[in-house]
Amino acid sequence: MDTVEGKKGGKVLLTMLFRNSKLMLAFLLQDKTRNSVLKVFNWLESILGNELFEKTFPVILTDNGIEFSNPLSLEFNYDGIGRTRIFFCDPSASYQKGAIEKNHEYIRYILPKGSSFDNLTQDDCNLLMSHINSVPRESLRGNTPYLEIQHFIDEELLNKLGVFLILPDEVSLSPDLLKKKDKQ
């Protein structure tokens, strides 16, 4: 788990990567605070239920960012029921979560560094991630993260998480991807 910043002081993306498939999710945060991250966890648990949340996200590795500074609030819901376990990388050791850092490069193809995320919606994030997750990867033997994750979780869960398969000839990793929706 990590965050990707747009323009300073604006909206942020919370990203979660399934290491076994390289599938990444992105959730739009109003700001880079622990309260915004907690809202996403509570929302995810509300749509998945506690048991499926715990099964889908049993262990989460992240960095020591301020937005992750209250791990107990993420590990346990308001009723004190466990939903995940949070572990932190060593300080200045982002290489310990190198797969998510590498996947962030795909986000930057569409949302270049310094661009604002303030006009994005969660639907935009889902579209962005659906395109990224439909790109074949050499590390997956030419498979896509979307197809690879189906060995571990079912398509209905992916739909609940807002991730859909994009056909190979329709995949776009350019800034035009999110500009097209404005013209429709």
Side-chain angles (χ1 to χ4, degrees):
M1 180 169 66
D2 202 359
T3 53
V4 178
E5 294 183 59
K7 283 198 175 196
K8 201 150 188 78
K11 291 183 181 179
V12 176
L13 298 179
L14 173 69
T15 58
M16 299 175 85
L17 178 87
F18 294 89
R19 291 185 59 206
N20 56 7
S21 66
K22 308 269 192 293
L23 185 117
M24 189 164 56
L25 305 173
F27 303 98
L28 192 61
L29 304 180
Q30 291 302 309
D31 50 33
K32 191 176 177 177
T33 63
R34 61 187 183 189
N35 190 47
S36 288
V37 174
L38 179 59
K39 284 180 184 178
V40 169
F41 272 58
N42 291 337
W43 175 78
L44 282 169
E45 188 177 17
S46 75
I47 64 165
L48 300 178
N50 179 267
E51 187 177 322
L52 188 53
F53 184 103
E54 188 174 15
K55 182 180 175 190
T56 306
F57 306 104
V59 174
I60 297 174
L61 176 67
T62 192
D63 58 36
N64 290 307
I66 189 74
E67 67 274 32
F68 309 123
S69 63
N70 188 358
L72 290 177
S73 71
L74 303 177
E75 289 182 338
F76 297 92
N77 65 21
Y78 289 126
D79 296 324
I81 299 169
R83 56 183 169 195
T84 191
R85 295 292 314 267
I86 304 287
F87 293 91
F88 295 99
C89 296
D90 294 324
S92 301
S94 61
Y95 63 86
Q96 292 175 342
K97 56 182 184 64
I100 200 166
E101 299 293 345
K102 178 68 177 159
N103 248 18
H104 285 171
E105 292 177 18
Y106 287 101
I107 292 173
R108 292 303 186 187
Y109 294 152
I110 301 165
L111 298 169
K113 195 164 185 76
S115 60
S116 175
F117 298 170
D118 291 347
N119 291 326
L120 294 179
T121 65
Q122 185 58 48
D123 286 342
D124 293 332
C125 293
N126 295 346
L127 178 65
L128 168 82
M129 297 318 304
S130 292
H131 279 260
I132 290 170
N133 290 319
S134 296
V135 173
R137 311 287 167 86
E138 194 173 304
S139 63
L140 298 173
R141 303 158 318 282
N143 223 348
T144 67
Y146 183 90
L147 294 174
E148 196 68 23
I149 194 75
Q150 292 183 335
H151 297 290
F152 307 100
I153 59 178
D154 67 23
E155 194 167 4
E156 184 179 332
L157 174 57
L158 291 173
N159 291 339
K160 283 183 178 184
L161 296 171
V163 180
F164 302 92
L165 179 65
I166 306 296
L167 297 175
D169 60 340
E170 295 178 16
V171 171
S172 173
L173 294 181
S174 79
D176 290 339
L177 172 67
L178 297 178
K179 291 177 185 167
K180 289 178 188 175
K181 72 158 185 110
D182 294 332
K183 296 176 184 173
Q184 295 178 355

